[in-house]
Amino acid sequence: NDDVANIFDNCKNTYNPDQSDVDGDSIGDVCDYVCGDANNDGEANIGDIVFIIDYIFKAGAYPVWLGSADANGDVNKYNDRTILSN
């Protein structure tokens, strides 16, 4: 997938040739997030709804890991505010 042998790859199913692992937990940074945790506080909660609304409608900061803002895995950021608020 990224020319790193799977035995050494810290994120086997996602392209990450640099193998970055900022927190040292052996999970590559591109795979190391909580779905829906856009503000990167370790959990999906009301703070993430506010963060996503700011990101989408007010040109707010990007999530640390862009995939973390995708609460339902559909790659459509406009659906996530509804999912997180229910």
Side-chain angles (χ1 to χ4, degrees), residues 33 55 62-70:
Y33 59 83
Y55 164 60
Y62 280 88
V64 174
W65 314 116
L66 195 55
S68 67
D70 189 7

Side-chain angles (χ1 to χ4, degrees), residues 25-62:
D25 65 356
S26 299
I27 299 172
D29 292 338
V30 297
C31 292
D32 196 11
Y33 59 83
V34 174
C35 233
D37 181 20
N39 66 2
N40 200 33
D41 67 356
E43 56 187 65
N45 55 32
I46 190 73
D48 300 298
I49 296 168
V50 173
F51 190 94
I52 290 173
I53 289 170
D54 285 345
Y55 164 60
I56 294 171
F57 296 109
K58 298 181 180 179
Y62 280 88

Side-chain angles (χ1 to χ4, degrees), residues 11-34:
C11 190
K12 294 174 181 59
N13 297 319
T14 303
Y15 182 78
N16 68 329
D18 66 0
Q19 300 295 295
S20 178
D21 181 18
V22 172
D23 62 6
D25 65 356
S26 299
I27 299 172
D29 292 338
V30 297
C31 292
D32 196 11
Y33 59 83
V34 174

